[in-house]
Amino acid sequence: MKNGTKVNYEVTEDDAGWIMSNTFLILTMQTGFGMLEAGSVSHKNVANIMIKNCVDVTLGGFVYWSFGYALSYGEPSTPFFGYGNFFVTADLNEDDAGSIFAHYVFQLSFATAATTIVSGAVAERMRLEAYMLFAVLNTLGYCLPAMWTWHKNGFLYAMGFFDFVGGCVVHGTGGASALVAAYMLGPRYNRFKKGPDGVHYTASSPATALTGLFMLWWAWLGFNCGSTFGISKDRWKISAKVAVTTLNGSIAGGIVGLISSYIVFKGRFSIDYIIVSVLSGLVSITASCAVISPAEALIVGFIGAFLALLALNFLEYMEIDDPVGAIPTHFTSAAWGTIAVGIFGKDDLSLLGGHNGLLHGGNFHLLKVQAIGWLLISLWSGLFTWAVFYAMHKVGILRMSLKDELLGADWVVHGVRSETITTKIEKILEQLN
Amino acid sequence: MKNGTKVNYEVTEDDAGWIMSNTFLILTMQTGFGMLEAGSVSHKNVANIMIKNCVDVTLGGFVYWSFGYALSYGEPSTPFFGYGNFFVTADLNEDDAGSIFAHYVFQLSFATAATTIVSGAVAERMRLEAYMLFAVLNTLGYCLPAMWTWHKNGFLYAMGFFDFVGGCVVHGTGGASALVAAYMLGPRYNRFKKGPDGVHYTASSPATALTGLFMLWWAWLGFNCGSTFGISKDRWKISAKVAVTTLNGSIAGGIVGLISSYIVFKGRFSIDYIIVSVLSGLVSITASCAVISPAEALIVGFIGAFLALLALNFLEYMEIDDPVGAIPTHFTSAAWGTIAVGIFGKDDLSLLGGHNGLLHGGNFHLLKVQAIGWLLISLWSGLFTWAVFYAMHKVGILRMSLKDELLGADWVVHGVRSETITTKIEKILEQLN
Amino acid sequence: MKNGTKVNYEVTEDDAGWIMSNTFLILTMQTGFGMLEAGSVSHKNVANIMIKNCVDVTLGGFVYWSFGYALSYGEPSTPFFGYGNFFVTADLNEDDAGSIFAHYVFQLSFATAATTIVSGAVAERMRLEAYMLFAVLNTLGYCLPAMWTWHKNGFLYAMGFFDFVGGCVVHGTGGASALVAAYMLGPRYNRFKKGPDGVHYTASSPATALTGLFMLWWAWLGFNCGSTFGISKDRWKISAKVAVTTLNGSIAGGIVGLISSYIVFKGRFSIDYIIVSVLSGLVSITASCAVISPAEALIVGFIGAFLALLALNFLEYMEIDDPVGAIPTHFTSAAWGTIAVGIFGKDDLSLLGGHNGLLHGGNFHLLKVQAIGWLLISLWSGLFTWAVFYAMHKVGILRMSLKDELLGADWVVHGVRSETITTKIEKILEQLN
């Protein structure tokens, strides 16, 4: 029942401090995602996107406490879901109270992140009420892959599938959801229209988006290093190594972004490229960070960022509208990062349960297991999102009306007034009438 | 002399790490409050409100080091104040140096927060010099309730009054000060005027305010979980539980905000409602977080947020101008949260010194003690603020001149120039002449 | 090989938690510096300055991993540089893996900060490609002073030179680089021109700059308190003391800023003065924080801030253009802070290796050593920067073209579009044609 590691240790007071400090750091990912997204969308939707992140914690958090944790880590359990420990609680007079509470809050910080990933891909056109419903359901949807992978009874766990932090469980699910969601919603108004009617959507503040990137970057260290779920015994060594591989993944990603942009845009450095590259370096390294070397981490991050930039351009070609680059960042990189365990993974401290990846073990066993795990998790998450979005579309609550979309959710949904917004709104209303 | 817990443990090296890490996290509340307030006030006062938070740390920090800590935790002491350990220091060669320094910085982070709460309520009209004087005096004013409640000789401590983190001591004092301060200052120019002369004050950036909310949210976990003042012995279990109850309080608060706003504004989600609700959920849970269950935490946060939204509307009706919602967030929720200990409190690990609240103990003893404690602390803080504001009003340094208020403190006090501000200033100067 | 302390302890699991948590906190300095700088430069360069900070981590991080750490802490070593442990890695099955990885990431966070300091001084006119090259080289340049001071074979270490956290090694090198870099680049277009052609450069957002100040402030606690490189044995006591002296340094700095500004600007509170003062208080205390008392910390911060404000005005008089005040903050304060060890230093727990400063020891030995150390480090860093900038100038890649500078790097280098920027760019292009 340890997060991402199959070596079972007890939780001591030292471990609890480590777990909770990192939980608090992981929660700052909400701030980071919020700023990244607010800086990337149009001026007229910046507050709305922050509210979506807020919803992920409040509604998502409520559902995770009442049902989600039970599905993921509850006892009794089947290989596919747990069904105990609903409405998580524990008695302080019992010995295991500390472990239960610490494990719960740590996992909660993961659950809320999984939904937040999707909010960027559906920005500027999905109705807030629909997003709320999705946040509730998606939190539950996330809980099953988490169970399969990290619960000692999970069927992927039994197969030897390895995802140390959630490169597949969190980012793969989020990425697959984001892809399906962006596709089903369709692009923003005239986003891909050629000619004078085409609308160029301007990021409200690239500097704010970059501030969000920085926040995510350091929070990621809590995400990855905290996933030893403790600091005692060998865990502090693993954590320290994970800090190095995680940083190297992001460094390689960033370098790919700088070079690619310089080549593609003939001497210009695209902020979109840099953000997607650094983040995809981080996502790529997340499944394997404990079982690869710092040099291999550079390779993993390098390839991950390269694939993400290809995906970014392919989505543009396919006319799938992803306002913040959530799909290349999370979907492609999760796929590659999960597979990378099967290529570069090394069974130090028995973290991989006796198996090595292709390069260190000389066989394809782990690679196959990783590919199957990634496929099943992505299919589950994609189909789940499809079903929810299809139902919401049929009921007619999925997408904002064209008028509302043009006016922007900040004014329509939240009544935000500012001089810039008000002037624009008058213009748009004139044009519509 | 432990913060908020009557169980006395020694401070070990593990505890020190926990205490300091959480202290650093608590200090990020200054960043959070700063962004929340800067995003909530008019464009012309955003830098000024950040400077006020800066003053809370510099002037407030100086006074707390020289006199404040001595008043709160100094020895010798009476039941009402301490009078030793002025100009806090310790000799590294002595055994207790670590405990003294760690305890001091932890408490300093609380003291600076108490004054920051007030800065929002007096925004856009109080003179900076007056605020500076207030920051100095209020830091000292805060030290007495802290002493009464948390010092082993404090008279409220002796009565069995319980405030685990400072739901009453920090937020109750800050909230009562904010109420008195906002009332005595009067509203911003024509803020409540009906008709064409009425001025609608537009928040400079709701997205920035929401970013501040997120920062406060995660810092609150350091605030509450760090208040075990250590991680060793049973403290890590209490900390882990507190993380869960704190999050549940905020979750319930957020849900109340979403639902209430949807009903009141007929389908719109007010950002003010959401911010006040999440924060009031957090404030409500702060006194009781260690002695109630996760389910009770939802109830406490739910009621706290509901009362805060009532208070928000009541203040509007009473024409008391509170630009950032500091009064509903901190005053009402502190009152309810302090009382809630007397209703839901359960004496696990003897945290409540042998008493239980109404529901678990079946009697009103703890409820009465909590009510008395809240009343005395609020009265002290309100009267103290009244005296300071009355004196500043009489001397004529309290409020900005109408001209300065219209021009905004950013330009008048700090000489901030920007195209937007400069254009507006020229308009205003024309109108005035 | 401990950072800043000559007392050698082993690293345990507790220490590892402390080291890594503080490393994560130190990395948030990148966010803080980024926001401080983005808020201080013109609107047309806010994204560009964030990208520069991003480059410090990606390119700087890559070089530090591959060569820099080897130069600073590698074995074998001479008194002037190390030459082992290139491409840092370790085997998890070996006992020292944890120490190596933890030490590396901690030192990495310092290395990236050293370059970031310079980015502010060269803002709005240095070409991004040139900055990239500089970031790579400067990371290596920083590694030598770090080796001389903190490696057990370093020649300054052998002389008894003391810099607990990097007041000289990080801020002195960064400050000397910033001074040379700003001088060699020359001022922004017409920045010091008198008359109607003079250009007043308006800070894009003082509130954002102040948010950056807050972030740096709390990150500094991780920087200074984490430099015990552990929490076990006496280290937690030193850490706790360092938290107090660090805060007192910043408090004294802030008070100097408030008072000076009030006098100089006749009742106005300059945001530049306040930012420079608080930060110079922090820089000043950084070398000595473990070996001086809280009261002495106030004196050190007070004098440091005062000197920084003098330097700020002297730079203006000398027409050296430093858009964010990096030179007074880091150069002057590093000089004073390094010297201050020789005046106020007290050899508690043998931190100073048997020597005391002037006041506690009654002789000038330590003062001389500190002065020599500061001089050599500053000379090295200044000359290194001079050589790099001179070469880039000769090759013609150092400074942006006048047209590009007028248009701003956000549009020219990053293709950032926004209504404000686009309108201005059209105006500028008209004027140029």
Side-chain angles (χ1 to χ4, degrees):
Chain A
M1 221 168 89
K2 296 298 168 291
N3 191 58
T5 162
K6 299 185 176 182
V7 188
N8 285 289
Y9 305 98
E10 282 179 38
V11 175
T12 67
E13 63 187 58
D14 293 350
D15 300 325
W18 181 245
I19 293 163
M20 282 193 282
S21 290
N22 283 296
T23 301
F24 305 163
L25 185 53
I26 295 167
L27 286 167
T28 68
M29 282 190 149
Q30 300 290 337
T31 325
F33 273 120
M35 292 187 87
L36 174 63
E37 294 170 3
S40 301
V41 299
S42 312
H43 260 298
K44 62 187 176 185
N45 287 305
V46 290
N48 183 253
I49 198 87
M50 296 295 296
I51 291 290
K52 283 185 182 158
N53 285 298
C54 196
V55 161
D56 294 332
V57 185
T58 50
L59 299 188
F62 178 72
V63 172
Y64 193 73
W65 174 73
S66 45
F67 298 105
Y69 185 79
L71 284 176
S72 276
Y73 299 101
E75 288 294 350
S77 61
T78 75
F80 303 102
F81 57 91
Y83 54 99
N85 304 96
F86 295 95
F87 310 100
V88 179
T89 193
D91 184 339
L92 270 191
N93 300 309
E94 301 289 331
D95 279 347
D96 61 355
S99 312
I100 292 171
F101 284 128
H103 190 255
Y104 166 73
V105 288
F106 186 70
Q107 298 300 341
L108 170 69
S109 70
F110 277 63
T112 56
T115 299
T116 296
I117 290 167
V118 187
S119 64
V122 301
E124 310 211 50
R125 57 209 195 280
M126 184 172 181
R127 280 187 65 180
L128 182 52
E129 290 93 334
Y131 185 80
M132 286 176 175
L133 185 57
F134 174 72
V136 165
L137 296 173
N138 193 56
T139 302
L140 297 178
Y142 154 84
C143 291
L144 297 196
M147 191 276 164
W148 306 340
T149 308
W150 292 327
H151 193 293
K152 63 183 186 303
N153 289 344
F155 79 96
L156 289 176
Y157 185 102
M159 280 173 58
F161 179 67
F162 183 84
D163 181 1
F164 190 66
V165 186
C168 188
V169 173
V170 176
H171 296 282
T173 55
S177 281
L179 176 59
V180 172
Y183 175 76
M184 293 192 69
L185 264 172
R188 288 168 287 180
Y189 176 70
N190 280 1
R191 161 80 170 77
F192 293 108
K193 189 109 171 199
K194 306 288 182 271
D197 284 349
V199 177
H200 177 80
Y201 286 82
T202 305
S204 72
S205 167
T208 300
L210 286 164
T211 306
L213 168 68
F214 278 123
M215 287 198 170
L216 282 170
W217 209 333
W218 325 133
W220 222 289
L221 289 163
F223 196 67
N224 285 10
C225 300
S227 287
T228 51
F229 202 64
I231 198 83
S232 63
K233 304 274 172 55
D234 288 330
R235 285 177 281 191
W236 71 275
K237 298 178 186 178
I238 302 170
S239 270
K241 179 183 173 173
V242 166
V244 180
T245 53
T246 301
L247 282 166
N248 270 12
S250 68
I251 286 168
I255 291 171
V256 169
L258 292 169
I259 296 173
S260 308
S261 174
Y262 199 74
I263 295 169
V264 172
F265 298 106
K266 304 195 173 72
R268 281 196 174 178
F269 294 95
S270 152
I271 290 167
D272 290 350
Y273 267 46
I274 292 167
I275 291 176
V276 165
S277 299
V278 172
L279 288 180
S280 61
L282 287 165
V283 172
S284 300
I285 208 67
T286 293
S288 64
C289 53
V291 295
I292 65 173
S293 73
E296 289 163 346
L298 283 171
I299 299 170
V300 170
F302 197 91
I303 295 174
F306 186 74
L307 294 173
L309 292 178
L310 285 183
L312 183 72
N313 285 287
F314 186 69
L315 287 169
E316 196 71 15
Y317 172 77
M318 294 295 288
E319 304 199 344
I320 294 175
D321 187 15
D322 177 9
V324 310
I327 301 164
T329 299
H330 300 282
F331 179 73
T332 330
S333 310
W336 159 244
T338 311
I339 302 297
V341 173
I343 300 173
F344 298 99
K346 189 151 172 287
D347 186 36
D348 289 332
L349 303 178
S350 303
L351 284 165
L352 287 168
H355 293 283
N356 282 297
L358 181 59
L359 293 182
H360 298 287
N363 65 67
F364 286 85
H365 171 76
L366 190 57
L367 188 56
K368 270 190 289 183
V369 170
Q370 294 297 115
I372 293 168
W374 170 76
L375 193 69
L376 291 176
I377 287 176
S378 300
L379 276 175
W380 161 253
S381 191
L383 288 170
F384 185 88
T385 304
W386 177 84
V388 174
F389 271 63
Y390 184 78
M392 293 196 296
H393 172 68
K394 282 287 158 197
V395 181
I397 60 164
L398 182 59
R399 186 157 173 157
M400 295 166 75
S401 71
L402 178 57
K403 184 182 164 188
D404 284 359
E405 188 185 332
L406 291 174
L407 293 170
D410 279 13
W411 192 75
V412 171
V413 182
H414 305 292
V416 169
R417 285 190 270 185
S418 79
E419 280 167 52
T420 342
I421 286 184
T422 314
T423 320
K424 282 188 196 158
I425 280 168
E426 281 163 10
K427 269 195 226 163
I428 295 167
L429 287 174
E430 266 173 38
Q431 289 171 340
L432 288 175
N433 296 326
Chain B
M1 220 167 90
K2 296 297 166 291
N3 191 56
T5 161
K6 300 186 177 183
V7 187
N8 286 289
Y9 304 98
E10 281 179 38
V11 174
T12 67
E13 62 187 59
D14 293 349
D15 300 324
W18 181 244
I19 293 165
M20 282 192 282
S21 290
N22 283 297
T23 300
F24 305 162
L25 185 53
I26 295 167
L27 286 167
T28 67
M29 283 190 148
Q30 300 289 337
T31 324
F33 274 121
M35 293 188 87
L36 173 63
E37 294 170 4
S40 301
V41 300
S42 312
H43 260 297
K44 61 185 176 185
N45 287 305
V46 289
N48 182 252
I49 198 88
M50 296 296 295
I51 291 290
K52 283 183 182 159
N53 285 298
C54 196
V55 161
D56 294 332
V57 185
T58 49
L59 299 187
F62 179 72
V63 172
Y64 192 73
W65 175 72
S66 45
F67 299 105
Y69 185 77
L71 284 176
S72 277
Y73 299 102
E75 288 294 350
S77 62
T78 73
F80 302 102
F81 58 90
Y83 54 99
N85 303 97
F86 295 95
F87 310 100
V88 178
T89 193
D91 184 340
L92 269 191
N93 301 308
E94 303 288 331
D95 279 348
D96 61 355
S99 312
I100 292 171
F101 284 128
H103 190 256
Y104 165 73
V105 287
F106 186 70
Q107 298 300 340
L108 171 69
S109 71
F110 278 62
T112 55
T115 299
T116 295
I117 291 167
V118 186
S119 64
V122 300
E124 308 212 51
R125 57 208 195 281
M126 185 173 180
R127 281 187 64 181
L128 183 52
E129 291 93 332
Y131 185 80
M132 285 177 173
L133 185 58
F134 174 73
V136 165
L137 295 174
N138 193 54
T139 302
L140 297 178
Y142 154 82
C143 291
L144 297 196
M147 190 277 164
W148 306 339
T149 307
W150 292 327
H151 193 293
K152 63 183 186 303
N153 289 344
F155 79 96
L156 289 176
Y157 185 102
M159 279 173 58
F161 178 66
F162 183 85
D163 180 1
F164 190 66
V165 185
C168 188
V169 172
V170 175
H171 296 282
T173 56
S177 280
L179 175 59
V180 171
Y183 175 75
M184 292 192 68
L185 265 173
R188 287 168 288 179
Y189 177 70
N190 280 0
R191 162 78 170 80
F192 292 108
K193 189 109 169 197
K194 306 288 182 270
D197 285 350
V199 176
H200 178 78
Y201 286 82
T202 305
S204 71
S205 168
T208 300
L210 286 164
T211 306
L213 169 68
F214 278 123
M215 287 200 170
L216 282 171
W217 209 334
W218 325 132
W220 222 289
L221 289 162
F223 196 69
N224 285 10
C225 300
S227 288
T228 50
F229 202 64
I231 199 83
S232 63
K233 305 271 172 59
D234 287 331
R235 285 177 282 191
W236 72 275
K237 297 178 187 178
I238 302 171
S239 271
K241 178 182 173 172
V242 166
V244 181
T245 52
T246 301
L247 282 166
N248 269 12
S250 67
I251 286 168
I255 291 171
V256 169
L258 292 169
I259 296 174
S260 308
S261 173
Y262 199 75
I263 295 169
V264 171
F265 298 105
K266 304 194 173 70
R268 282 195 172 180
F269 294 96
S270 152
I271 289 167
D272 291 349
Y273 267 46
I274 292 168
I275 290 176
V276 165
S277 299
V278 172
L279 288 180
S280 61
L282 287 165
V283 172
S284 300
I285 208 68
T286 293
S288 63
C289 53
V291 295
I292 65 174
S293 74
E296 289 162 346
L298 283 172
I299 300 170
V300 169
F302 198 91
I303 295 175
F306 185 75
L307 293 173
L309 292 178
L310 284 183
L312 184 71
N313 285 287
F314 186 67
L315 287 169
E316 197 71 16
Y317 173 77
M318 294 293 290
E319 304 199 342
I320 293 175
D321 187 16
D322 177 9
V324 309
I327 301 165
T329 300
H330 300 282
F331 180 73
T332 330
S333 310
W336 159 245
T338 311
I339 302 295
V341 174
I343 299 172
F344 298 100
K346 186 149 172 288
D347 187 38
D348 288 333
L349 302 178
S350 302
L351 283 165
L352 287 168
H355 293 283
N356 283 296
L358 180 60
L359 293 181
H360 298 287
N363 65 67
F364 285 87
H365 171 76
L366 189 56
L367 188 56
K368 269 190 290 184
V369 170
Q370 293 298 113
I372 293 169
W374 171 76
L375 192 69
L376 290 176
I377 288 176
S378 299
L379 275 176
W380 160 254
S381 191
L383 287 170
F384 185 88
T385 303
W386 177 84
V388 174
F389 270 62
Y390 184 77
M392 294 197 295
H393 172 67
K394 281 288 159 197
V395 181
I397 59 165
L398 182 60
R399 186 156 173 157
M400 295 166 75
S401 71
L402 178 57
K403 186 181 163 189
D404 284 0
E405 188 184 332
L406 291 174
L407 293 170
D410 279 13
W411 193 76
V412 171
V413 182
H414 305 292
V416 170
R417 285 189 271 183
S418 80
E419 280 166 52
T420 342
I421 284 184
T422 314
T423 321
K424 282 190 197 157
I425 280 168
E426 281 162 9
K427 268 195 226 161
I428 294 167
L429 287 174
E430 265 173 37
Q431 289 172 340
L432 288 175
N433 295 326
Chain C
M1 220 168 90
K2 298 295 167 293
N3 191 58
T5 161
K6 300 186 175 181
V7 188
N8 285 289
Y9 304 98
E10 281 178 38
V11 174
T12 67
E13 63 187 59
D14 292 349
D15 300 325
W18 181 245
I19 293 163
M20 282 193 282
S21 291
N22 283 296
T23 300
F24 305 163
L25 185 53
I26 294 167
L27 286 167
T28 67
M29 282 190 149
Q30 300 289 337
T31 325
F33 274 120
M35 293 188 87
L36 174 62
E37 295 170 3
S40 300
V41 300
S42 312
H43 260 297
K44 61 186 177 185
N45 287 303
V46 290
N48 182 254
I49 198 87
M50 296 295 296
I51 291 291
K52 283 184 181 159
N53 286 299
C54 196
V55 161
D56 294 332
V57 184
T58 50
L59 299 187
F62 178 71
V63 172
Y64 193 74
W65 174 73
S66 46
F67 299 105
Y69 185 78
L71 284 176
S72 277
Y73 299 102
E75 288 295 350
S77 61
T78 73
F80 303 102
F81 57 90
Y83 55 99
N85 303 98
F86 295 94
F87 310 101
V88 179
T89 193
D91 184 340
L92 269 192
N93 301 308
E94 302 289 329
D95 279 348
D96 60 354
S99 312
I100 292 171
F101 285 128
H103 191 256
Y104 165 73
V105 287
F106 186 69
Q107 298 300 340
L108 170 69
S109 71
F110 277 62
T112 55
T115 300
T116 296
I117 290 168
V118 187
S119 65
V122 301
E124 310 211 51
R125 57 209 195 281
M126 185 172 180
R127 281 188 63 181
L128 182 52
E129 290 93 333
Y131 185 80
M132 286 176 173
L133 184 58
F134 174 73
V136 166
L137 295 174
N138 194 55
T139 302
L140 297 178
Y142 155 82
C143 290
L144 297 196
M147 190 276 164
W148 306 340
T149 307
W150 291 327
H151 193 294
K152 64 183 185 304
N153 289 343
F155 79 96
L156 289 177
Y157 185 103
M159 278 174 58
F161 179 66
F162 183 85
D163 180 1
F164 190 67
V165 186
C168 188
V169 172
V170 175
H171 296 282
T173 56
S177 281
L179 175 59
V180 171
Y183 175 76
M184 292 191 69
L185 265 172
R188 287 167 287 179
Y189 176 70
N190 281 1
R191 161 79 170 78
F192 292 109
K193 189 108 169 198
K194 306 290 183 269
D197 284 351
V199 177
H200 178 80
Y201 286 83
T202 304
S204 73
S205 168
T208 300
L210 286 164
T211 306
L213 169 67
F214 278 123
M215 288 199 170
L216 282 171
W217 209 334
W218 325 132
W220 223 288
L221 289 163
F223 196 68
N224 285 9
C225 300
S227 287
T228 50
F229 201 65
I231 198 84
S232 64
K233 305 273 172 57
D234 287 332
R235 285 177 281 190
W236 71 275
K237 297 178 185 177
I238 302 171
S239 270
K241 177 182 173 174
V242 165
V244 181
T245 52
T246 301
L247 282 166
N248 270 11
S250 67
I251 285 168
I255 291 172
V256 169
L258 292 169
I259 296 174
S260 307
S261 174
Y262 199 74
I263 294 170
V264 171
F265 298 105
K266 303 195 173 70
R268 281 195 174 180
F269 294 96
S270 151
I271 289 167
D272 291 350
Y273 267 47
I274 292 167
I275 291 176
V276 165
S277 299
V278 171
L279 288 180
S280 61
L282 287 165
V283 173
S284 301
I285 208 68
T286 293
S288 63
C289 54
V291 294
I292 65 173
S293 73
E296 289 163 346
L298 284 172
I299 300 171
V300 170
F302 197 91
I303 295 175
F306 186 74
L307 293 173
L309 293 178
L310 284 182
L312 183 72
N313 285 287
F314 185 68
L315 288 168
E316 196 72 16
Y317 173 76
M318 294 294 290
E319 302 198 346
I320 294 175
D321 187 15
D322 177 9
V324 310
I327 301 166
T329 299
H330 300 283
F331 180 74
T332 330
S333 309
W336 160 244
T338 312
I339 301 297
V341 174
I343 298 173
F344 298 100
K346 187 150 172 288
D347 187 37
D348 288 333
L349 303 178
S350 303
L351 283 165
L352 287 168
H355 293 283
N356 283 297
L358 181 60
L359 293 181
H360 298 287
N363 66 67
F364 285 86
H365 171 75
L366 189 58
L367 187 57
K368 271 189 289 186
V369 170
Q370 293 298 113
I372 293 168
W374 171 76
L375 192 69
L376 291 175
I377 288 175
S378 299
L379 275 175
W380 161 253
S381 190
L383 288 170
F384 185 89
T385 304
W386 176 83
V388 174
F389 271 62
Y390 184 77
M392 294 195 295
H393 172 67
K394 282 288 159 195
V395 182
I397 59 164
L398 183 60
R399 185 156 173 157
M400 296 166 76
S401 72
L402 178 58
K403 186 181 163 188
D404 284 359
E405 189 184 330
L406 291 174
L407 294 170
D410 279 13
W411 192 75
V412 171
V413 182
H414 305 292
V416 169
R417 285 190 271 184
S418 79
E419 280 167 53
T420 342
I421 285 184
T422 315
T423 320
K424 281 187 196 159
I425 279 168
E426 281 164 10
K427 267 194 227 163
I428 294 167
L429 287 173
E430 266 174 38
Q431 288 171 342
L432 288 175
N433 295 327

